[in-house]
Structure formats: structure tokens, C-alpha cells
């Protein structure tokens, strides 16, 4: 049986979102999933890591962000959009 793969992308300001990402990683590990957890610090870093983020390689993608002014952080919105600035990204809110 093929090992399932999970990608956890997250941004954090106070480490609270990181604690949740770590908890998700622990659960996936407990079920013998292969897990890649990546902290997104800014849009430049997200662009630099784009080659690692081929979403079709994963069975589950978890995305976490602090909420600032009622919205997720911009790098997380961009990662969520899958279009890197397209219409879907502009409609997140």
C-alpha cells in the first residue's frame, strides 16, 4: 500500500498557528503518513519554494494562518489561490 502524503503550509505570528500545524503533523505521523510541514514567512519565500509545492503530489493539504483584520495573511491567501494572484486569490475574504 502506498504511503499517503500530507503537506502542511502555515504562517504564524505568535506561534499559535505553529502549535496547530505541529498537532496536525503529529496526527498524520500517528497514522503513518509522510508529512512535509512548511512555514510561510513571506511572499518571496513562498515563490522560492514553489517547486516543493506541487499540490498533486499530496493526498491532503492543510493550510493555516493567523487572522489579521478579519483576513488570513497575504502569503497564505496566495498559497490558497493556487493561481498566484488570480481571481480566486482576489475573492478570498
Amino acid at each position: 500500500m502506498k504511503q499517503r502524503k500530507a503537506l502542511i503550509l502555515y504562517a504564524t505570528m505568535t506561534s499559535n498557528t505553529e502549535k496547530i500545524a505541529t498537532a496536525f503533523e503529529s496526527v498524520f505521523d500517528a497514522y503513518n503518513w509522510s508529512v512535509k510541514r512548511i512555514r510561510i514567512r513571506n511572499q518571496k519565500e513562498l515563490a522560492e519554494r514553489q517547486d516543493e509545492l506541487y499540490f498533486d503530489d499530496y493526498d491532503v493539504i492543510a493550510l493555516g494562518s493567523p487572522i489579521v483584520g478579519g483576513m488570513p495573511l497575504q502569503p497564505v491567501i496566495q498559497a490558497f489561490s493556487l493561481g498566484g494572484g488570480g481571481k480566486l486569490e482576489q475573492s478570498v475574504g
Side-chain angles (χ1 to χ4, degrees):
M1 185 170 165
K2 180 183 155 201
Q3 185 178 32
R4 293 185 171 254
K5 294 172 65 176
L7 173 64
I8 301 170
L9 295 173
Y10 71 97
T12 190
M13 295 171 66
T14 62
S15 297
N16 288 333
T17 307
E18 185 167 32
K19 291 174 187 174
I20 300 301
T22 302
F24 269 63
E25 183 177 25
S26 296
V27 171
F28 283 120
D29 282 338
Y31 284 90
N32 199 34
W33 283 53
S34 172
V35 182
K36 181 179 276 193
R37 181 168 50 97
I38 299 175
R39 180 178 177 183
I40 302 169
R41 289 183 171 81
N42 55 50
Q43 290 176 343
K44 181 181 177 203
E45 180 181 357
L46 179 63
E48 290 170 354
R49 299 189 83 165
Q50 200 63 44
D51 290 342
E52 297 175 57
L53 305 178
Y54 189 64
F55 293 151
D56 287 346
D57 289 344
Y58 299 94
D59 298 294
V60 170
I61 299 167
L63 190 59
S65 175
I67 302 300
V68 179
M71 299 279 294
L73 296 179
Q74 190 60 37
V76 175
I77 291 172
Q78 189 169 6
F80 175 73
S81 76
L82 309 177
K87 290 181 182 179
L88 179 59
E89 177 182 328
Q90 295 166 7
S91 69
V92 174

